[in-house]
Amino acid sequence: MNDSNANPQPAHDQAGDDLPALAISARGLDKVYRGDGGEAVHALKAIDLDVPRGCIFGLLGPNGAGKSTFINILAGLVIKTGGTARVWDIDIDRNARAARAAIGVVPQELNLDSFFTPRELLELQAGLYGVPPRERRTKEILDRVGLTDRAEAFSRTLSGGMRRRLLVAKALVHNPPVLVLDEPTAGVDIELRQSLWAFVRELNANGTTVVLTTHYLEEAEELCDRVAIINHGQVIACDDTRALVARLDNKELRLSVAEEITALPGTLSDFHVDIPNSHLLVFRYRTSETEVGAILGAVAEAGLTVTDLSTKEPDLEDVFLELTRTQP
C-alpha cells in the first residue's frame, strides 16, 4: 500500500512488483440519498466488489441500479454513507487527491464548455490535475482520439461523436491507470462505436484497467473479461464473462426436416419440443442433461430427414434478464 503517492503512474510505467492486484476494491460500500423531507433512497446497499488490475470490467444493471453512484463515489463526486473503497490501492478517504489522480472518468453526459477548443480543454484539465507543462501529452492524446484536425475548433461546433471522443481525451490527460467509461456509446453511430472499442482495447493492452457501463450487452459480452451485475443497489452476480453466461444451462436446437409433420413422433416424446410449422422442430434442453447426438438419433429413428439445423445458446442478455427479473 502506498497512500502517499499523489501522482500514480499508469500501469504500464510501473515496476511489476509495485502493481496492485486490484484496480478497484470496495467493502461494505453504502450510499443513502436523503431528500428534503422525502423518503430516503438507498442507492448502494453495503456492496463488496473487486476489479482486478489489467482487465476490461463490465458494470451492468438497469437504470437506477446504482452504477453511476458507485462510479461517482470512486471519482470523489459523491460522498459515501458507509464502507470503504480503494482505487489503485489508495483509500479514497485517507488520500482523496491521490485516489482521484488514479482514475479517469468519461461521463455519460456531454458536459463540455462550448467556448473552449479541444486543445484548450485538455490543457485546462491537465492543469487541474497538476500535470506539469513539460509532461503534458495534449497533441498525442488528440492524435489518438482523432481530433487533431479539430484541435482549434470551438467544442460547440463538434459533432456528437467528436464530443464523445473529447470526453475520453479529457479523462486521459493525467495518464490514469484506471479508466471508467459510463455509457460511452450511447447515441453514437456504428463507425464511431467500433473506433472507440478499438481504442479501448489498445489502452487495455498497454496496461490500463477499463471499467465499462453499457446497456449494449452484446458489446459487454464481446469486450469484458469480467462482469458484475448490480440491481437495486446490490451486486447480484460477479464472475468471468464466460462463466456467467454458462450459468444458464439451456440451449435451443432448431431442425428443418423434409417430411411433413402432422403429429409429434413417439421417439421424440421424451424431449421438450415445439412444432412451429409442419417442417420445423424446436428442441429446448439442458446441456448438462441432454446431448445433441441423442436428439439427432431420435429424429433419425423417427424417420425424419434433417435438411437444416441451427442452435441458439444463452448470451449475456439472457443472463442479465434472468437475474434482474428474479430479484425482488
Side-chain angles (χ1 to χ4, degrees), residues 289-305:
E289 299 174 355
T290 305
E291 295 183 356
V292 173
I295 296 176
L296 295 177
V299 170
E301 187 179 348
L304 300 174
T305 307

Side-chain angles (χ1 to χ4, degrees), residues 14-25:
Q14 291 191 8
D17 293 342
D18 296 334
L19 299 178
L22 299 175
I24 295 170
S25 181

Side-chain angles (χ1 to χ4, degrees), residues 101-117:
I103 192 170
V105 178
V106 181
Q108 183 176 351
E109 299 80 14
L110 297 174
N111 54 353
L112 296 168
D113 193 307
S114 300
F115 297 97
F116 281 79
T117 68

Side-chain angles (χ1 to χ4, degrees), residues 47-251:
I47 69 170
D48 297 335
L49 186 63
D50 291 330
V51 176
R53 167 180 53 85
C55 72
I56 301 180
F57 189 94
L59 188 62
L60 311 179
N63 290 330
K67 305 185 300 297
S68 293
T69 295
F70 179 74
I71 291 169
N72 289 334
I73 289 174
L74 298 177
L77 301 175
V78 169
I79 299 174
K80 62 184 174 59
T81 304
T84 63
R86 303 182 72 87
V87 178
W88 209 241
D89 208 15
I90 304 167
D91 189 280
I92 66 170
D93 292 323
R94 291 173 55 193
N95 201 333
R97 182 180 177 184
R100 292 173 191 176
I103 192 170
V105 178
V106 181
Q108 183 176 351
E109 299 80 14
L110 297 174
N111 54 353
L112 296 168
D113 193 307
S114 300
F115 297 97
F116 281 79
T117 68
R119 188 183 305 281
E120 290 170 337
L121 284 169
L122 295 197
E123 286 291 318
L124 176 61
Q125 188 80 352
L128 292 174
Y129 275 97
V131 181
R134 67 182 180 279
E135 296 180 13
R136 295 177 187 176
R137 304 175 300 125
T138 299
K139 183 179 184 304
E140 174 193 342
I141 294 173
L142 287 172
D143 285 342
R144 293 184 73 184
V145 299
L147 288 176
T148 300
D149 60 343
R150 303 287 290 169
E152 308 304 334
F154 289 126
S155 62
R156 66 176 182 272
T157 68
L158 302 179
S159 67
M162 290 179 179
R163 294 183 188 185
R164 184 71 62 185
R165 279 182 271 170
L166 182 52
L167 287 176
V168 176
K170 283 183 63 181
L172 295 173
V173 295
H174 58 297
N175 221 16
V178 181
L179 179 66
V180 178
L181 303 170
D182 191 2
E183 298 288 349
T185 57
V188 303
D189 60 42
I190 295 176
E191 183 177 0
L192 173 59
R193 186 175 296 155
Q194 292 176 342
S195 174
L196 178 60
W197 293 143
F199 183 45
V200 167
R201 286 189 176 102
E202 179 187 345
L203 287 170
N204 181 248
N206 289 329
T208 302
T209 301
V210 179
V211 178
L212 165 71
T213 78
T214 180
H215 287 295
Y216 297 105
L217 298 183
E218 70 280 2
E219 291 182 345
E221 184 171 358
E222 180 180 352
L223 284 165
C224 297
D225 309 304
R226 193 169 177 84
V227 167
I229 298 177
I230 295 181
N231 197 25
H232 300 304
Q234 297 176 299
V235 176
I236 59 175
C238 184
D239 207 339
D240 292 342
T241 307
R242 290 185 178 180
L244 194 59
V245 172
R247 289 188 185 187
L248 287 187
D249 180 28
N250 56 60
K251 193 169 185 177

Side-chain angles (χ1 to χ4, degrees), residues 255 257 259-265 275 277-281 304:
L255 298 179
V257 296
E259 295 78 14
E260 184 174 357
I261 306 169
T262 56
L264 184 68
I275 308 176
N277 63 58
S278 59
H279 291 277
L280 180 63
L281 297 168
L304 300 174

